[in-house]
Every structure is written in structure tokens, then in C-alpha cells.
Amino acid sequence: MMGTFIAELYKVLTRPRSYIGIASIVALVVLIDTSFYFTGKQYIDLLFQNFDPVFRMSGQVVNGNLICFIILQTLIIQLPLLVALVTGDLISGEAAMGTLRYALATPVSRSRFIITKWATALSYVLCILLVLGVFAYLLSLVVFGPGDLLVLNADGLVVIRQDQLPWRFAAAFVYAFISLSAVASLSLMFSAFASNSIGPIVLTMVVIIVFTVISSFETGFFDPVMPFLFTNHMHLWRRLFSDPVPMGEILRSGAILVAHIAAFLGITLWHFNRKDIIE
Amino acid sequence: MRIAAFLISLCMGHMAVAQDAESLLGPLRTRMAGLNDLTCNVQMAFDIPGVQMKQLGGKLYFKRPDRFKVAAKGLVFVPKQNPFGMFDLLARKGTYMAMVAGAEAVNGTPCNIINIMPTNQEDVVMVRLFIGKADGRIHRSDVTLRREGTVVYRNTYANATDLLPSVIDFEADFKKFRMPKAITGDFNSKPVAAADGQKYETGRIRMTLSAMEMNKRLDDSLFKDSSEL
């Protein structure tokens, strides 16, 4: 099993498209850091326009923790697309190239094959998040220095003191791993149904974009369907930066995402074990 | 003849009121003249709608005429208006009109109310000072600004002989905070209705001062540095 997993991982790491996501993250982090280095004050002025006439903020608002939070917030919507680019191709790519039948000709069960592919997809997610963690968190801290975090919500501001931040960021990365694993499992499921690379990638992207757009609507029309959109639970990492932290709500959403992962993986296994790989 | 007598009596009455105001402000001005700068510890607590911010300690600096700064080991909201700003206004005799406008108790302390209207200030339209009848100290000041509305400072003194308050409560109204979800990325919260975004709410900051040191000849450069400790 480990040998197959390493072989799958090697396949992913030797494909140029695997580095598109990583390169995008590095480029976006550098761009965001640069833009805030020069125009951070305008951003802060926008935040404080309501309070501006009577209050002013004292202290270093633009700091490494704020930049890391903004990067996370910005990229958390884009990361699923970057993940799907690789994981959506894991099975369908082999089918398209005609290597799937050869892979399954070896003495390995189909379930084990799928589990190995799934573990590879999760490893790629982990790799992406490690890159994001190093660049978004550490680089921003080096460039801008530490400080209290100012979190902007739809109905107000939350200031989290600096000593409360490391565990919150660590938990946010763990939550992001669970969220992106759900996306990776979804795209793997689509990949099991398809026999070309593009279909599962595009379909995953469409699902993510449509669900995210619905989530961002400010009318109450979509409120009844919100709990059923798994993307809505993906955004709950932000609640880790509330005061107090609604742990029950976060754990419930985390559990819903894990249930989605299990369901997507279950459907993939069920379908792939019955799939005619000659078609 | 009657009209002339009425006008003369009105003018004399006005002069008498102004005289009264000056008799209350004079001793206060004399006491405040001894304060050139101030350094002290400050503990700040916040009660601002839409803002979750735990209290934090820091250093407060003030220097005449209008330099004011709070330096803390983190982010804090501070009043935009200098809490000691009226000292400078009162010191510049002849640049304002003062009138006694009644009496009222502030936190149980009987006070005279004096309305001060600056004649050459750009931002301050009027200051309403509540001066203790017994101690002659400022217990409350309502500062009406040209654009920002009225901000209120309530002073609490630790000792009967203290020149400066040990607690300053700042109060001001501001528009309810509202941001589109697409900007905040906060997809899971209930959006604030547009009508609510036009409502005004009252925010409060309590500054508890301690370890006050006066007239240490603070350097101007101190007020140019970052506000982080």
C-alpha cells in the first residue's frame, strides 16, 4: 500500500500542473504583501470610515497577523479551484491516457486503488497548505512584524490579542485542511465518473463557484438552503477569530465536512468498484 | 426711553452673567496653568457597539497645547478628541464667550453649567462644562464639534484635592457598522440591513489613569512615534 501511495505521490509531483497551485499561492502572497506594504493605510481607512469621526485606532493595525488573515480569507475561495486542478484529474486522467486498465491489472483491489488516490489527493492538499502557511504566516510576520489582529465582520470588528493568535491560526489551518479535503474528495468522485481530465475539474469549479456565490447573497431568499451547501461550512474557519470562539458551531460544521468527505469517498468507492474500466 | 432702559439692563445682565462665568472659570484656569504635560498609566475598557475589544493597559501622554497620545501593547480605540483639549481653550482668555447656563448634578456632585463658545476655533462649536460647585473641578464636558456631533467626557476624581481625574469616561455617537459580506468574506453572519446601517449608536471608552507624572518636559518627538509600546 505504501509503495503504491509513494508511486502515486511521485506521479502527482512530477506533473507540471501540480505546481500551478503552489506557484499561484506564492505569487498571490507576495502580491498581497507588496500591496499592503504600500497601500495598507487606505485599507485601514476604509475599515474605520464609520468610527472615523469620533474614534481612532492606536497601534500597528497593518501587521503580519492581519496580512496572514487577509491572505487566508482571499485564498480560501481560490484554493479549492487549485486543489481541483490536480485532484480532479487523478482517476479520469488515467482513464483518458489509457493507463487505468494497466494500473488495475496489478494485484491491487479497486478499493485500495481509490484509497491510495484519495490519500494522494489529501497529501497534495496538505502540501498546498504547508506552502500557504510558510508564505502567508511566516513571511508576513517577517515583513510586517507581529501585532493584534483586527477581524472585519459584516456587523462589526473583533480585535484578537496577539497572544491568542498562534493556536487560532493553527486551528484555522487544520480546519482549512478538512475543508479542502472535502473539495478534493468531491473532485475525486467526479473524476471516478469521468473519462476525461477537464470534466471533473470544471464541474468541481462550477459547484464551488455557484455555492460560494449563493452563500454571499445578502438577501434572505437562500437562507433555507445555506446549511446544505458544504461551501458554507468551509467558511466557518473565520469563527475561530471570534471572541468567544463558538466551538460547538465550528465542531458541528467540521463534522458536516467530514461527513461530506466520507459520503464523496463512499460514492467513489461504490461507483469505481462497479465501473467498466474498458469503456 | 423705555426701550433704551430695557436694552441697557439686558446688556448689564449679560455682563453680569459673563462675569459669573469668568469667576467660575478663573480659578480653574489658574489651577490648570500649572499643567504643561502629563505622563501616566492608562487602563482602557471599551463598550463600542459592533466592536469586540478586550481591555488593555498602556501609557497616556499629553502636552500643551494639544498633543495627546495613548501607547499600548496592542490595538486600542482612543477618542479622536483630546480629553484635555479644553485646558488649552480655557487658557486662551478672550478667544471664547462664556455663559452660566444653570446647574445640574453629575454623579451626585452639584455642578454649575457653563457654556463656552469659541470665537476662533475651527472644529469646536461649543463646550458645555459642568464645574463642581464645591471643588471647582470639571466633572463633565460636552464638546460639540462642527461635523462630528457632540462627544461627552465624564470625569471621576479619586481624591478631593486631585487636579486631574482618575477615570475619564468618553461617550460618542457614530453610525452603525455595516460592511457587505463580499468585502468581509464573513459569509456565515446575518447581513446588517441597509436601514440599520444609517442608525446611530453610542460608543464608550473608559480610561482609568494611574501613576500620574506632571511636567516632565515631554519631547515633541514622542508624539510622532508609533503608538505601540
Side-chain angles (χ1 to χ4, degrees):
Chain A
M1 177 97 172
M2 187 52 82
T4 324
F5 171 67
I6 290 169
E8 286 295 334
L9 207 57
Y10 178 77
K11 271 198 269 181
V12 167
L13 293 176
T14 50
R15 300 180 70 183
R17 80 164 58 178
S18 302
Y19 295 96
I20 292 174
I22 293 169
S24 311
I25 288 170
V26 174
L28 283 169
V29 168
V30 171
L31 283 172
I32 291 172
D33 274 8
T34 309
S35 85
F36 269 88
Y37 192 81
F38 291 105
T39 61
K41 197 180 173 307
Q42 281 104 304
Y43 177 79
I44 299 308
D45 290 345
L46 173 74
L47 298 190
F48 292 120
Q49 57 188 354
N50 284 55
F51 304 108
D52 190 53
V54 286
F55 300 113
R56 68 179 169 81
M57 183 65 91
S58 172
Q60 198 62 40
V61 181
V62 180
N63 57 55
N65 288 317
L66 176 73
I67 303 300
C68 179
F69 184 82
I70 289 168
I71 290 170
L72 270 183
Q73 186 170 277
T74 310
L75 291 188
I76 218 82
I77 298 168
Q78 330 297 339
L79 278 182
L81 311 181
L82 300 176
V83 167
L85 200 62
V86 171
T87 56
D89 182 50
L90 283 177
I91 301 170
S92 56
E94 296 231 24
M97 285 190 294
T99 54
L100 189 59
R101 66 179 71 180
Y102 295 110
L104 293 174
T106 55
V108 57
S109 73
R110 290 195 182 192
S111 295
R112 182 169 283 191
F113 178 80
I114 290 296
I115 295 292
T116 309
K117 288 284 187 188
W118 180 70
T120 308
L122 265 52
S123 302
Y124 181 71
V125 167
L126 188 63
C127 180
I128 286 253
L129 284 172
L130 284 175
V131 171
L132 183 65
V134 168
F135 276 86
Y137 191 57
L138 299 181
L139 181 71
S140 299
L141 280 180
V142 168
V143 174
F144 295 94
D148 290 351
L149 173 65
L150 182 86
V151 180
L152 180 66
N153 292 326
D155 56 354
L157 303 170
V158 182
V159 175
I160 314 274
R161 297 298 174 207
Q162 196 180 327
D163 58 342
Q164 289 284 307
L165 288 172
W167 76 264
R168 289 177 196 253
F169 274 117
F173 275 98
V174 170
Y175 197 90
F177 176 73
I178 297 170
S179 303
L180 292 177
S181 295
V183 174
S185 304
L186 175 72
S187 61
L188 195 72
M189 183 185 77
F190 288 149
S191 188
F193 281 88
S195 52
N196 66 77
S197 301
I198 302 299
I201 296 170
V202 172
L203 196 55
T204 308
M205 288 181 178
V206 167
V207 168
I208 301 290
I209 290 168
V210 169
F211 282 14
T212 305
V213 168
I214 291 173
S215 298
S216 63
F217 274 155
E218 304 222 0
T219 60
F221 183 75
F222 291 109
D223 281 357
V225 297
M226 291 291 188
F228 303 103
L229 307 179
F230 75 95
T231 50
N232 218 33
H233 298 283
M234 287 171 63
H235 299 135
L236 228 82
W237 67 274
R238 278 182 116 265
R239 289 281 190 267
L240 286 160
F241 297 89
S242 303
D243 198 15
V245 178
M247 268 306 174
E249 193 184 354
I250 291 167
L251 289 175
R252 194 178 68 240
S253 282
I256 289 170
L257 287 172
V258 170
H260 273 84
I261 293 170
F264 294 147
L265 182 63
I267 293 168
T268 311
L269 285 167
W270 181 82
H271 174 73
F272 196 75
N273 275 312
R274 287 158 183 76
K275 185 180 170 88
D276 181 357
I277 55 167
I278 308 295
E279 276 183 357
Chain B
M1 188 66 186
R2 266 192 215 165
I3 292 169
F6 172 74
L7 285 174
I8 289 166
S9 66
L10 194 69
C11 286
M12 288 182 72
H14 177 77
M15 282 169 68
V17 169
Q19 189 66 41
D20 280 344
E22 195 49 44
S23 67
L24 290 168
L25 291 176
L28 182 65
R29 190 186 301 115
T30 310
R31 291 177 77 184
M32 292 305 170
L35 177 70
N36 290 317
D37 62 55
L38 169 71
T39 307
C40 66
N41 294 334
V42 60
Q43 189 69 27
M44 304 194 69
F46 311 93
D47 175 20
I48 305 171
V51 175
Q52 283 179 280
M53 182 184 269
K54 288 213 165 91
Q55 61 173 298
L56 194 70
K59 281 267 183 195
L60 183 147
Y61 303 98
F62 162 71
K63 186 179 180 183
R64 275 186 191 274
D66 57 356
R67 303 260 186 167
F68 166 65
K69 172 181 164 177
V70 172
K73 282 182 181 167
L75 300 177
V76 285
F77 269 109
V78 291
K80 210 166 182 183
Q81 284 294 316
N82 181 351
F84 307 107
M86 69 280 296
F87 294 175
D88 179 50
L89 175 65
L90 291 178
R92 287 183 282 114
K93 200 177 170 186
T95 61
Y96 58 83
M97 292 193 308
M99 271 188 287
V100 176
E104 194 179 307
V106 178
N107 290 333
T109 307
C111 294
N112 288 312
I113 303 171
I114 299 177
N115 287 346
I116 296 173
M117 280 155 288
T119 50
N120 60 356
Q121 288 257 327
E122 286 185 9
D123 292 332
V124 178
V125 176
M126 191 173 95
V127 179
R128 199 168 158 83
L129 286 181
F130 294 68
I131 297 175
K133 286 181 178 175
D135 58 12
R137 297 179 295 190
I138 301 171
H139 286 264
R140 174 178 160 175
S141 47
D142 299 0
V143 182
T144 303
L145 303 160
R146 192 176 291 271
R147 293 180 189 85
E148 296 84 352
T150 299
V151 298
V152 177
Y153 293 95
R154 288 188 175 84
N155 298 336
T156 308
Y157 296 87
N159 301 304
T161 54
D162 285 351
L163 173 66
L164 295 170
S166 55
V167 179
I168 302 173
D169 287 301
F170 171 78
E171 194 178 294
D173 291 345
F174 63 95
K175 259 188 189 173
K176 188 178 172 73
F177 189 86
R178 179 176 177 266
M179 275 275 171
K181 283 205 267 184
I183 291 180
T184 61
D186 179 23
F187 296 116
N188 299 87
S189 70
K190 292 273 178 204
V192 178
D196 286 346
Q198 296 304 313
K199 286 181 183 167
Y200 278 83
E201 297 183 311
T202 304
R204 295 174 187 86
I205 298 175
R206 168 165 282 197
M207 293 181 282
T208 306
L209 313 183
S210 61
M212 293 186 208
E213 293 178 301
M214 286 185 270
N215 304 330
K216 288 191 74 183
R217 295 177 182 274
L218 292 180
D219 197 82
D220 283 346
S221 61
L222 179 77
F223 296 89
K224 289 174 189 162
D225 298 343
S226 159
S227 300
E228 290 271 2
L229 271 180

